[in-house]
């Protein structure tokens, strides 16, 4: 390769690395900002306003949850608030519907805004292309297992899955894995019963709450190990086939 070509390649590579780190830093700052006490107070205030809306409450709650999901705002406060406002049954229904819709919106953004760039990148990297294709073939299992596992960041995962070949059908069906965690958080919120007291839920010593948390943690640990082994095998097989 001519010297000029090597220099141009090095410049392009450097720009890509800088862009990657800038995006990573931006996401990190955004996530830290959304976890601040101020944002949590704003969410609690919104929940109290939603509680006063009567029949329009569920609509406002779903819309707020959708926006929070797209903007990387953690949904724990909103999920607990759903339990406090609507109770266990309807709270679980509204939270799951809201989180699923928000996840689909984020998935669509990742798919239609970023997917083309990923495809162009994979054209010159056949191994990544083979891995992407292999992941898509097991999309339902992967999405379901990652939804069961609380260690995988929900909001970031929505966008990440959008740039893979995972089909929308598998993505939606796999998202049923959110149900156990949703019910646990909504149940915890329903025990509190008041939106203003949600901040103290983490210090709750209720035997029922602790049992639910331990159950979800154990389930999440099993899902983490399973999805790690599963994806590793898929990646190894895909890379072997691409050679």
């Amino acid at each position: 390769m001519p010297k000029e070509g090597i220099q141009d390649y090095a410049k392009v590579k450097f720009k890509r690395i800088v862009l990657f780190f800038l995006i990573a830093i931006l996401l990190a700052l955004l996530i830290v900002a959304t976890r601040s006490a101020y944002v949590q107070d704003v969410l609690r205030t919104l929940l109290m306003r939603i509680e006063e809306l009567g029949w329009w409450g569920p609509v406002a709650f779903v819309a707020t949850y959708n926006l929070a999901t797209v903007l990387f705002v953690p949904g724990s406060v909103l999920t607990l608030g759903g339990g406090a406002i609507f109770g266990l049954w309807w709270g679980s229904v509204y939270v799951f519907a809201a989180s699923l819709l928000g996840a689909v919106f984020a998935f669509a953004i990742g798919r239609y805004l970023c997917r083309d760039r990923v495809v162009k990148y994979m054209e010159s990297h056949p191994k990544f292309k083979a891995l992407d294709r292999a992941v898509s073939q097991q999309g339902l299992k992967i999405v379901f297992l990652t939804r069961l596992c609380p260690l995988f960041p929900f909001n970031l995962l929505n966008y990440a899955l959008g740039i893979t070949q995972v089909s929308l059908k598998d993505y939606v069906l796999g998202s049923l894995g959110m149900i156990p965690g949703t019910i646990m958080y909504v149940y915890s919120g329903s025990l509190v019963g008041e939106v203003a007291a949600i901040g103290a839920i983490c210090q709750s010593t209720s035997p029922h709450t602790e049992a639910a948390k331990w159950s979800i943690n154990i389930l999440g640990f099993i899902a983490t190990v399973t999805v790690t082994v599963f994806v590793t095998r898929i990646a190894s097989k895909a890379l072997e086939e691409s050679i």
Side-chain angles (χ1 to χ4, degrees):
M1 181 182 292
K3 185 177 180 179
E4 293 78 6
I6 295 176
Q7 291 177 342
D8 291 340
Y9 176 78
K11 289 180 181 178
V12 172
K13 196 74 173 178
F14 177 73
K15 289 180 179 179
R16 287 179 177 176
I17 293 174
V18 171
L19 179 62
F20 172 79
F21 277 107
L22 287 176
I23 293 174
I25 292 172
L26 179 62
L27 288 176
L29 291 174
L30 181 61
I31 292 173
V32 170
T34 56
R35 292 181 182 275
S36 67
Y38 173 76
V39 173
Q40 305 304 314
D41 289 339
V42 169
L43 291 178
R44 278 190 286 269
T45 301
L46 284 173
L47 287 169
M48 286 187 281
R49 297 290 182 270
I50 290 172
E51 192 173 15
E52 299 170 354
L53 294 178
W55 289 100
W56 285 101
V59 177
F61 177 80
V62 171
T64 301
Y65 208 113
N66 290 170
L67 184 60
T69 300
V70 173
L71 295 179
F72 284 89
V73 177
S76 56
V77 171
L78 292 174
T79 303
L80 291 167
I85 296 173
F86 305 111
L88 176 59
W89 168 249
W90 285 111
S92 298
V93 171
Y94 295 146
V95 168
F96 177 71
S99 58
L100 180 59
L101 284 174
V104 170
F105 288 148
F107 177 87
I109 292 172
R111 172 66 49 93
Y112 295 111
L113 292 185
C114 304
R115 177 64 187 171
D116 289 343
R117 295 182 181 180
V118 174
V119 171
K120 289 181 180 178
Y121 175 80
M122 288 190 298
E123 287 177 353
S124 57
H125 296 77
K127 291 183 179 181
F128 284 101
K129 189 174 183 179
L131 177 59
D132 184 45
R133 183 171 60 252
V135 168
S136 70
Q137 294 171 356
Q138 302 291 337
L140 177 59
K141 293 179 181 178
I142 291 174
V143 175
F144 184 79
L145 289 171
T146 52
R147 291 310 195 192
L148 277 177
C149 176
L151 297 181
F152 288 91
F154 172 72
N155 293 335
L156 184 59
L157 190 63
N158 297 329
Y159 288 97
L161 290 170
I163 62 177
T164 68
Q165 289 190 55
V166 173
S167 68
L168 179 60
K169 177 183 176 182
D170 286 345
Y171 179 74
V172 172
L173 291 177
S175 292
L176 293 175
M178 296 187 295
I179 292 177
T182 296
I183 293 176
M184 188 274 285
Y185 273 97
V186 172
Y187 174 66
S188 299
S190 67
L191 292 179
V192 176
E194 295 181 6
V195 173
I198 284 178
I201 188 64
C202 295
Q203 288 74 42
S204 173
T205 57
S206 167
H208 298 291
T209 302
E210 291 301 317
K213 288 181 179 178
W214 273 105
S215 299
I216 293 299
N217 288 334
I218 293 172
L219 183 62
F221 175 76
I222 295 173
T224 302
V225 175
T226 304
V227 75
T228 301
V229 174
F230 187 60
V231 172
T232 300
R233 289 180 177 177
I234 291 175
S236 299
K237 183 178 180 180
L239 294 177
E240 288 175 1
E241 293 176 351
S242 68
I243 297 175

